[in-house]
Amino acid sequence: MARAVDIVTGVEPKDAAEAMLIAPRRRRPWLRYLWRDKKALIGLIVLVVMAVAAVFASYVAPYDPNDQAFEFLSPPSGAHLLGTDDLGRDLLSRIIYGARVSLSVGVITVSLAMVVGVLMGLLAGFYGGWIDNLIMRYIDLQWAFPNFIIAVYLVAVFGTGLANVIVAIALAFLDDFARVMRGMVLSIREEEYVMAARAVGVSNVGILLRHVLPNATAPIIVQATVSVSYAILAEASLSFLGLGVKPSTPTWGLILSDARTFISRAWWLGVFPGLAIMITVLSINFLGDALRDMFDVREYQEVQR
Amino acid sequence: MTRYIVKRTFYALVVVWAVATLVFFMLRAVPGDPFQAMLADVDPEAAVALRHKLGLDRPTYIQYLLWFGRLFQGDMGNSIYGSNQAVSQIIREAFPRTIALASLAFIASLVLAISAGIISAVKKHSLLDHIFTLAAFLGLSMPDFWMGILLIIVFAVRLHWLPAIGYVPLSKGFWPWFSHLLMPAIAAGTPFSAIIARMTRSAMLEVLKTDYIKVARAKGLQERTVIFVHALKNALIPVVTVMGIAFALLMSGTVIVENVFAIQGLGRVLIQGILNRDYPVVQGAILVVSVIFVFTNLLVDILYTVIDPRIRYE
């Protein structure tokens, strides 16, 4: 009988008839795939736990992140699992609340970058000509620098603050999406089904939305996953440099920045927030690797930070 | 080859010019200038006078032409903050620090990463290989500034081996200079090492499978000669291809890490300029930082054609 395999094992059905037999049995192969890739599974679990903790921070966190106990710089203990900072605030609670900013900035910036970048890539690849030229010249300009440096330049222009940091990171990351998308469009444009669609009179917009875009989903998803981890690192770095959120808001980068003054007396302030960043980024990277294997996307740009 | 280099150099100059120009106009297009922030509420007249003195009340394109003209005379304007130091002077002082830090980071992490990569490939699946693999994964996932903080906690606070922050010029002696730069260099070079080590490992594994390595071994060459002369030379070619990306990470790491270790290099000048809304300093720093990025990239590309004669650019 038909083996319920396809992208999971890479075994291809022998003929069309068999393919039809297999097709209805394809049930959530990604879940099974994930189950086999333990690193990705761990990554996903960690991320889900973090996201839940971030959303329900007010229930999960043992203290209010800005509550000041009269225990300044106290080391990790039963009462304060990760210790307290110079103002007596509970470090664990601040890290949990910090996850809100870090995770949401990562997701929001990459979503923005994805929408705009994909649109730019679509236009450039599909229409070609001067539109392509104009868009690609700009993309090339950004390509000459790492995303983080572009983000710093943009913050220099827009000014500091969380909103500006979000816009800066989003703009800094859009070139990766535009490049991936344009490459996909250029190859898909020549496919027979696109020609067929054109022959039966489907409009340009129709072709773009119904044929080109769905076929480009996999590499875009992979790119988005990788980008989120670098966007989180970028936000943490900008916050650390003092270019991001206002001092009272807890974010991982800012907690580390504040910690600098006290690390000679309070190592925990310098260790745990960074650990939170690293675990998050590592988890996303594990997940990204698994997605890349699953979708069989060749590596466009392994490192863009 | 010469044509290629000339073409690429020209292109690099265009990129730097475009960045500088975009930044110049965008800085002025965004509402609210530094004097508004500093003086407008306190003393509106002084703000107007100061803006006039610095030429900020002229049309933007005139400001741009003036700025561009002066740039060729090495004049980048004066800082509007503190003692109004000349931007060119600030940059002249910061530049060698950044170069020293980046070079040390580059050399240290290159040696470390290539050794680790070779060991990993030769002793595949050994304990050391697993340790290096894990280290590379962590190195790519940790922010460089956190690496800096961890190093300070361990080597400065706990062990008292190295000074925590600051910079001492080389003229004051090698050890003071080196001891101040060692931790920042490691922190800035971490992602670079991670990439290079992984690439060296996989490239070495590929090369070690080839026939000419078998021949080299079969004719009785020492294993050391096989690895370092025959294999490594060819394995380095793919490593150079990721060098551009890796080096860009190292440079952006330098920008951040200078701020951790209080080294008054270009990165710190840039960030402080941004925080103070010090336009002339920001413009100058972005210009010089961009030059470094674009031209190191160019250098890597040229290096690539030099070490791999199979590559020919028209």
Side-chain angles (χ1 to χ4, degrees):
Chain A
M1 265 315 288
R3 295 147 304 186
V5 283
D6 37 58
I7 36 174
V8 182
T9 57
V11 177
E12 284 176 28
K14 281 199 193 83
D15 51 37
E18 199 186 354
M20 275 200 261
L21 274 175
I22 295 175
R25 302 191 53 169
R26 272 179 59 175
R27 274 198 327 233
R28 298 194 204 163
W30 62 271
L31 208 67
R32 234 180 304 143
Y33 194 93
L34 208 63
W35 188 249
R36 282 221 235 123
D37 190 337
K38 295 299 178 211
K39 274 194 299 191
L41 188 68
I42 293 169
L44 187 69
I45 292 171
V46 169
L47 289 174
V48 168
V49 169
M50 279 198 169
V52 169
V55 171
F56 298 103
S58 47
Y59 300 100
V60 179
Y63 300 89
D64 184 286
N66 290 318
D67 249 5
Q68 303 182 2
F70 285 103
E71 298 162 80
F72 310 114
L73 296 175
S74 74
S77 64
H80 299 279
L81 286 178
L82 301 183
T84 62
D85 67 6
D86 54 308
L87 298 175
R89 296 175 297 193
D90 181 56
L91 184 58
L92 177 63
S93 306
R94 289 184 72 73
I95 290 178
I96 292 174
Y97 274 89
R100 278 190 173 175
V101 180
S102 295
L103 296 182
S104 55
V105 169
V107 172
I108 293 170
T109 52
V110 171
S111 307
L112 285 172
M114 186 169 71
V115 170
V116 181
V118 161
L119 209 66
M120 284 169 81
L122 270 178
L123 291 175
F126 200 79
Y127 290 102
W130 68 268
I131 300 181
D132 188 23
N133 240 316
L134 187 75
I135 292 177
M136 287 320 285
R137 286 299 79 78
Y138 177 71
I139 299 298
D140 282 345
L141 195 63
Q142 281 207 6
W143 197 252
F145 304 92
N147 288 351
F148 174 71
I149 291 296
I150 295 285
V152 171
Y153 286 3
L154 289 169
V155 170
V157 170
F158 298 145
T160 56
L162 186 59
N164 289 340
V165 161
I166 289 176
V167 174
I169 296 177
L171 287 173
F173 279 70
L174 65 80
D175 57 331
D176 302 338
F177 291 98
R179 266 180 183 254
V180 171
M181 193 62 213
R182 180 173 176 271
M184 289 306 291
V185 174
L186 289 180
S187 64
I188 294 170
R189 203 169 59 163
E190 307 303 322
E191 295 282 341
E192 281 178 11
Y193 57 81
V194 173
M195 253 186 273
R198 210 187 282 276
V200 294
V202 181
S203 67
N204 274 343
V205 177
I207 290 177
L208 281 178
L209 292 184
R210 247 174 294 157
H211 300 284
V212 177
L213 204 53
N215 280 295
T217 323
I220 293 294
I221 289 178
V222 172
Q223 179 64 52
T225 316
V226 179
S227 292
V228 169
S229 71
Y230 290 129
I232 287 176
L233 278 176
E235 185 275 328
S237 305
L238 292 174
S239 294
F240 177 79
L241 295 173
L243 305 176
V245 290
K246 299 228 158 46
S248 62
T249 321
T251 73
W252 296 338
L254 199 60
I255 300 173
L256 278 173
S257 179
D258 294 340
R260 270 183 296 181
T261 329
F262 306 103
I263 47 173
S264 56
R265 281 175 289 159
W267 58 268
W268 53 94
L269 288 177
V271 172
F272 295 118
L275 209 56
I277 301 174
M278 190 176 77
I279 290 172
T280 310
V281 172
L282 200 61
S283 302
I284 300 173
N285 287 347
F286 282 157
L287 205 60
D289 283 349
L291 286 174
R292 185 179 288 137
D293 290 346
M294 189 169 100
F295 289 130
D296 195 21
V297 175
R298 77 188 163 82
E299 298 186 14
Y300 284 90
Q301 269 300 321
E302 200 184 27
V303 259
Q304 263 297 312
R305 167 152 106 175
Chain B
M1 187 67 186
T2 319
R3 236 188 97 190
Y4 170 72
I5 294 176
V6 171
K7 209 171 110 186
R8 284 294 314 268
T9 310
F10 175 72
Y11 179 69
L13 286 172
V14 171
V15 167
V16 171
W17 166 80
V19 168
T21 305
L22 274 175
V23 167
F24 188 95
F25 283 101
M26 282 167 82
L27 269 176
R28 280 157 183 79
V30 173
D33 64 39
F35 305 108
Q36 223 126 19
M38 267 160 51
L39 280 173
D41 296 334
V42 195
D43 189 352
E45 270 174 38
V48 170
L50 202 55
R51 295 188 81 224
H52 179 72
K53 190 183 149 207
L54 287 157
L56 285 172
D57 53 351
R58 297 196 198 182
T60 312
Y61 72 93
I62 301 269
Q63 290 182 43
Y64 175 68
L65 291 177
L66 282 173
W67 177 74
F68 209 73
R70 285 180 191 144
L71 193 62
F72 281 100
Q73 300 157 18
D75 178 6
M76 294 175 166
N78 290 308
S79 165
I80 56 173
Y81 198 78
S83 57
N84 298 355
Q85 214 184 345
V87 175
S88 54
Q89 182 60 31
I90 296 176
I91 286 177
R92 206 172 301 139
E93 281 166 19
F95 191 75
R97 295 174 192 152
T98 298
I99 296 301
L101 173 53
S103 316
L104 192 64
F106 178 74
I107 294 165
S109 21
L110 197 66
V111 172
L112 202 75
I114 290 186
S115 325
I118 295 173
I119 295 171
S120 276
V122 175
K123 305 250 186 262
K124 201 171 135 192
H125 297 314
S126 67
L127 180 65
L128 263 182
D129 180 24
H130 288 303
I131 291 173
F132 287 145
T133 303
L134 183 71
F137 246 116
L138 296 183
L140 267 182
S141 304
M142 65 166 56
D144 4 41
F145 61 85
W146 185 50
M147 185 69 186
I149 290 176
L150 291 183
L151 289 171
I152 292 178
I153 291 177
V154 175
F155 294 104
V157 175
R158 296 270 141 177
L159 298 172
H160 298 289
W161 287 358
L162 294 165
I165 54 167
Y167 177 80
V168 173
L170 188 52
S171 55
K172 295 260 167 70
F174 178 77
W175 177 248
W177 173 82
F178 184 73
S179 63
H180 278 91
L181 278 184
L182 188 58
M183 289 196 292
I186 294 172
T190 302
F192 176 89
S193 317
I195 296 171
I196 300 293
R198 294 312 289 164
M199 202 63 198
T200 309
R201 179 182 186 271
S202 60
M204 271 305 260
L205 285 176
E206 277 307 306
V207 173
L208 288 175
K209 272 189 279 184
T210 55
D211 286 341
Y212 63 82
I213 293 297
K214 279 187 204 136
V215 171
R217 282 185 178 144
K219 67 180 183 186
L221 289 181
Q222 273 197 333
E223 188 61 16
R224 201 187 303 158
T225 319
V226 175
I227 303 285
F228 288 102
V229 179
H230 294 250
L232 185 60
K233 221 166 130 190
N234 284 289
L236 283 182
I237 293 172
V239 173
V240 176
T241 57
V242 292
M243 197 74 93
I245 295 168
F247 194 77
L249 285 188
L250 186 145
M251 280 310 301
S252 47
T254 306
V255 169
I256 302 173
V257 164
E258 282 177 359
N259 291 279
V260 181
F261 290 91
I263 296 171
Q264 196 67 18
L266 290 170
R268 197 165 154 84
V269 167
L270 174 60
I271 301 301
Q272 282 178 346
I274 296 174
L275 289 171
N276 296 338
R277 306 215 60 183
D278 196 340
Y279 285 12
V281 169
V282 168
Q283 270 161 209
I286 286 183
L287 182 73
V288 180
V289 169
S290 302
V291 166
I292 295 177
F293 269 107
V294 170
F295 281 90
T296 46
N297 233 336
L298 177 65
L299 212 64
V300 169
D301 283 358
I302 292 173
L303 182 70
Y304 187 37
T305 65
V306 173
I307 80 164
D308 188 356
R310 285 171 299 184
I311 307 285
R312 284 268 171 270
Y313 293 99
E314 58 77 36

